[in-house]
Amino acid sequence: MSKASTAVNQNVSKSYKLETDKGSFDLPVYSPTNGPDVMDVTKLYGETGLFTYDPGFASTASCESKITFIDGEEGILRYRGYDIADLAANCTFMEVARLLIYGELPNKKEKETFENQITYHTMVHEQMHFFYRGFRRDAHPMAIMVGVVGALSSFYHDSLDITNPEHRELSTHRLIAKMATLAAMTYKYAVGQPFIYPRNDLSYTENFLHMCFSVPSEPYVVNPTVASAMRRIFILHADHEQNASTSTVRLAGSSGANPFACIAAGIASLWGPAHGGANEAVLTMLDEIGSKENIPEFVKKAKDKNDPFRLMGFGHRVYKNYDPRAKVMQESCHQVLKELGVNDPKLELAMELERLALEDDYFAEKKLYPNVDFYSGIILKAIGFPTSMFTVLFALARTVGWISQWREMIEDPRQRIGRPRQLYTGEGERKFVPLSKR
Ligand code: CMC
């Protein structure tokens, strides 16, 4: 297995002296390329007998990574050093995929080669078609995705050896390629239309739209505005460093599980409304709000500690400023609705909600700003996707990030199985009581 260089060890800038009742200990502190210094506590338990406690990983770096950088205070997101807005404006989704996976923007030849590699893996095993038919027609598309992506490992036995770089490469291409086909098949299954085979003459994004919206009875022409909006949505969602689903993929992979199973685990984690399910939840919330007059009542509910309601599409663990993805998404939303001639009152409602929330002290003090999901749902609805498909599209795009992060983890020489510790607060030792005496 090829091993990457241990860059972080060359960046030990200082150490932190920790005083405990067992003595004082020096903990190395690393200086990253960007972002706050990181204190290495790997030897803490061995030397002091102490664990650290950090539920939700608010102060814990789980790995070293060279892929994505976020500055939440400044609202910056970069893939391999490139600003997200530049990539969204200028690149194809496959260029960004190649950048995330291999670290560099491809030249013309590299771009063509990579696009070909992906294109020629977009067909899925024919048996997959029968596999789909086992699901109820009204199953949530994410439930189907967890199942079918996990099932890929039962179809592609020839790329499961994670210690073999060629297998890892093949699984990478298969996952990115087949994700679009599986997502489109999931949509077709839900709407009761025949599955559509991929077309090799189309770009990744155009092909995905073709597999979703064409029918065998008439020719389908991809609308360039829609394709461009979709491309931007995919790029903006492609990676986001160590979020819940990516950490899930890394943790699942740390045991040596195959990449198809790891990505299925990532999809399961993404499904939750606090993560990828938020774009679906935003539209449900806008439906509930109904009209502008009701906004103040919902803003009040969101601020009420005794009410579980939150403004969906607002707030982020890392961004304490405007989510840079939300800016691009808002622009895109106006453009798509205008060019498609869609007059969706939800956009006006969303903009008014954003305005009122941003003027409110509660949101200002807690630094709660619109996130990527606030506007993406409105675009996806205008394109014609039902809300239940929104998180599937997020999963499709994020597969590129998940697989990049999984590869980086496998190639990290310090990689070990992920095994967090705990603060045990349950019962102490108890004497067993037989059933007859309980
Ligand atoms: N509406 C109202 N209050 C909020 C919201 C919100 N959307 N988000 C956070 N808060 C409050 C929260 O009640 C807490 O208040 P207090 O300090 O008084 O207890 C404070 O802000 C901090 O919130 P937190 O839950 O401790 O923050 P977190 O970092 O654990 O959670 C979050 C981040 C994204 C889960 C959360 O902001 C949220 O639930 N937002 C709505 C769901 C959403 O839009 N998720 C998509 C995230 S972006 C896409 C992705 O990366 O998946």
Side-chain angles (χ1 to χ4, degrees):
M1 192 186 306
S2 87
K3 298 286 184 189
S5 69
T6 55
V8 97
N9 293 333
Q10 293 152 19
N11 287 337
V12 179
S13 55
K14 45 193 162 216
S15 66
Y16 181 84
K17 197 169 276 307
L18 181 72
E19 300 288 347
T20 76
D21 49 8
K22 292 188 179 130
S24 73
F25 299 91
D26 282 329
L27 300 171
V29 173
Y30 305 131
S31 288
T33 321
N34 298 113
D37 283 354
V38 175
M39 187 169 71
D40 184 346
V41 294
T42 39
K43 297 212 171 101
L44 188 70
Y45 177 60
E47 291 186 358
T48 67
L50 279 172
F51 290 155
T52 54
Y53 176 59
D54 183 18
F57 301 105
S59 304
T60 299
S62 60
C63 61
E64 180 191 345
S65 182
K66 294 180 171 60
I67 302 174
T68 292
F69 172 71
I70 302 174
D71 183 333
E73 298 298 327
E74 296 297 322
I76 292 170
L77 169 61
R78 295 186 201 125
Y79 296 161
R80 303 279 189 185
Y82 295 103
D83 191 85
I84 189 69
D86 288 337
L87 296 173
N90 298 302
C91 292
T92 65
F93 180 48
M94 285 302 100
E95 269 178 281
V96 171
R98 200 184 177 288
L99 170 71
L100 283 167
I101 296 166
Y102 303 104
E104 296 298 334
L105 279 170
N107 61 29
K108 197 165 175 292
K109 175 109 198 330
E110 289 163 341
K111 177 173 174 285
E112 277 167 20
T113 307
F114 183 69
E115 281 171 352
N116 264 341
Q117 280 162 335
I118 299 300
T119 299
Y120 284 92
H121 282 292
T122 47
M123 265 173 53
V124 292
H125 196 292
E126 196 64 12
Q127 186 72 20
M128 264 285 174
H129 292 223
F130 303 104
F131 193 81
Y132 268 81
R133 299 192 199 287
F135 288 100
R136 283 172 55 137
R137 284 277 172 190
D138 61 354
H140 193 287
M142 283 297 275
I144 298 183
M145 290 302 285
V146 173
V148 293
V149 174
L152 287 177
S153 45
S154 68
F155 288 95
Y156 300 102
H157 296 145
D158 57 338
S159 63
L160 298 184
D161 178 2
I162 63 154
T163 62
N164 181 332
E166 281 165 25
H167 280 218
R168 296 203 296 275
E169 194 73 353
L170 187 52
S171 286
T172 297
H173 296 158
R174 281 179 168 159
L175 268 160
I176 294 171
K178 295 185 198 307
M179 201 66 184
T181 312
L182 294 178
M185 286 169 75
T186 300
Y187 170 68
K188 286 300 202 191
Y189 189 69
V191 294
Q193 289 180 3
F195 297 136
I196 301 291
Y197 288 100
R199 261 177 57 187
N200 290 353
D201 60 320
L202 297 176
S203 74
Y204 186 93
T205 309
E206 290 167 341
N207 181 44
F208 174 65
L209 291 167
H210 151 77
M211 290 189 289
C212 286
F213 297 121
S214 78
V215 287
S217 38
E218 58 187 33
Y220 173 77
V221 181
V222 181
N223 178 323
T225 303
V226 170
S228 171
M230 207 69 243
R231 174 191 64 78
R232 247 171 292 165
I233 288 181
F234 287 163
I235 291 174
L236 295 177
H237 285 88
D239 195 46
H240 214 227
E241 51 118 308
Q242 310 311 319
N243 54 81
S245 56
T246 303
S247 299
T248 302
V249 169
R250 280 188 179 254
L251 195 55
S254 75
S255 70
N258 76 68
F260 302 108
C262 295
I263 302 300
I267 295 172
S269 168
L270 186 75
W271 193 358
H275 193 7
N279 52 11
E280 183 177 345
V282 170
L283 281 208
T284 312
M285 176 189 74
L286 292 174
D287 275 338
E288 250 180 85
I289 296 176
S291 64
K292 284 187 191 170
E293 308 82 73
N294 301 331
I295 294 177
E297 181 198 327
F298 280 84
V299 170
K300 198 165 153 224
K301 266 162 75 68
K303 296 191 301 187
D304 182 355
K305 279 255 147 283
N306 301 316
D307 192 323
F309 175 78
R310 285 184 170 201
L311 280 193
M312 299 316 284
F314 257 78
H316 199 275
R317 168 63 61 80
V318 181
Y319 293 119
K320 301 303 167 199
N321 202 327
Y322 213 99
D323 180 339
R325 303 168 299 173
K327 272 192 195 139
V328 180
M329 210 60 98
Q330 192 199 41
E331 266 173 43
S332 203
C333 193
H334 284 287
Q335 203 179 334
V336 172
L337 263 53
K338 189 166 164 242
E339 288 185 34
L340 293 183
V342 174
N343 182 16
D344 188 345
K346 281 207 182 66
L347 177 59
E348 264 195 49
L349 192 60
M351 283 168 58
E352 183 63 3
L353 175 61
E354 177 186 341
R355 192 181 67 78
L356 286 181
L358 291 180
E359 280 175 2
D360 195 295
D361 287 347
Y362 172 94
F363 291 90
E365 275 159 23
K366 294 188 188 303
K367 299 187 175 173
L368 299 170
Y369 292 86
N371 59 48
V372 68
D373 292 322
F374 194 67
Y375 287 104
S376 62
I378 299 175
I379 306 181
L380 294 174
K381 183 169 167 269
I383 292 177
F385 286 106
T387 46
S388 59
M389 273 298 289
F390 292 179
T391 318
V392 171
L393 304 177
F394 192 158
L396 187 171
R398 187 56 59 86
T399 296
V400 162
W402 289 331
I403 198 80
S404 309
Q405 301 266 353
W406 173 83
R407 288 169 63 113
E408 184 178 65
M409 179 202 63
I410 296 290
E411 289 167 14
D412 185 338
R414 287 151 302 163
Q415 190 269 324
R416 307 163 75 186
I417 187 166
R419 182 28 173 117
R421 301 299 191 131
Q422 64 171 5
L423 168 64
Y424 176 70
T425 53
E427 299 288 347
E429 189 180 10
R430 295 205 272 181
K431 212 169 162 36
F432 179 74
V433 184
L435 185 60
S436 58
K437 300 221 166 116
R438 276 178 245 153

